């Protein structure tokens, strides 16, 4: 399953299906944050711009701004996270997804890393 994921330098993953992308935080990203205690997400129908903030994850250590890896429209949010933010830690690649975006420009997907590139990037950060 991991081979269909794309990653950002901000430790977000995307699972792209057609013109929609589910977005979440990577295993490495959630481990860096620590226990997530609150999730702030946009509303369905909101427009997001690549590189612009669309929400926040609050952990016991810090508040981390979520920057959108793509431009598009929010088509779904994971409402479970409002009452159960720890799902982000427990199952970051499945139940812990954050939002679904209708992709405005598929060319933006080319800027993302595949799983191997991301693993190399995250490993480099750990050593850095």
């Amino acid at each position: 399953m991991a081979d269909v994921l794309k990653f950002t330098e901000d430790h977000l993953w995307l699972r792209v299906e057609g013109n929609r992308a589910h977005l979440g935080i990577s295993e490495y990203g959630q481990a860096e944050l620590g226990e997530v205690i609150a999730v702030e997400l946009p509303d369905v129908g909101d427009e997001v711009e690549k590189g612009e903030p669309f929400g926040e994850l609050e952990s016991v250590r810090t508040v981390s701004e979520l920057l959108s890896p793509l431009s598009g429209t929010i088509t779904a949010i994971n409402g479970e996270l409002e009452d159960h933010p720890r799902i982000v830690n427990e199952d970051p690649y499945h139940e812990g997804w954050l939002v679904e975006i209708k992709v405005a420009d598929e060319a933006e997907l080319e800027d993302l890393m595949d799983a191997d590139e991301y693993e190399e990037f995250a490993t480099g950060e750990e050593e850095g």
Side-chain angles (χ1 to χ4, degrees):
M1 182 74 88
D3 59 343
V4 299
L5 297 179
K6 296 284 192 185
F7 294 88
T8 73
E9 290 186 358
D10 297 323
H11 305 294
L12 295 177
W13 59 260
L14 292 93
R15 182 177 295 116
V16 181
E17 296 168 21
N19 68 345
R20 304 206 187 254
H22 276 91
L23 195 89
I25 188 164
S26 71
E27 183 79 43
Y28 177 85
Q30 67 83 22
E32 285 291 291
L33 273 176
E35 182 185 336
V36 175
I37 55 173
V39 178
E40 188 178 304
L41 298 173
D43 294 321
V44 171
D46 282 1
E47 298 289 322
V48 292
E49 292 291 322
K50 180 179 178 180
E52 294 297 312
F54 70 89
E56 291 180 342
L57 291 180
E58 184 178 342
S59 73
V60 291
R61 294 186 196 148
T62 185
V63 174
S64 181
E65 206 169 48
L66 298 167
L67 301 179
S68 184
L70 302 170
S71 299
T73 306
I74 301 294
T75 52
I77 62 165
N78 188 346
E80 286 289 306
L81 300 180
E82 195 172 315
D83 294 327
H84 307 287
R86 289 192 53 147
I87 298 171
V88 170
N89 298 112
E90 294 162 359
D91 191 7
Y93 293 109
H94 299 286
E95 297 298 315
W97 66 277
L98 302 171
V99 298
E100 181 186 72
I101 298 174
K102 183 177 180 191
V103 181
D105 181 0
E106 289 188 18
E108 290 177 347
L109 296 170
E110 294 168 18
D111 296 337
L112 303 172
M113 294 178 272
D114 66 23
D116 291 338
E117 291 168 322
Y118 176 72
E119 190 170 326
E120 198 171 296
F121 169 79
T123 303
E125 276 208 340
E126 283 176 358
E127 295 165 0

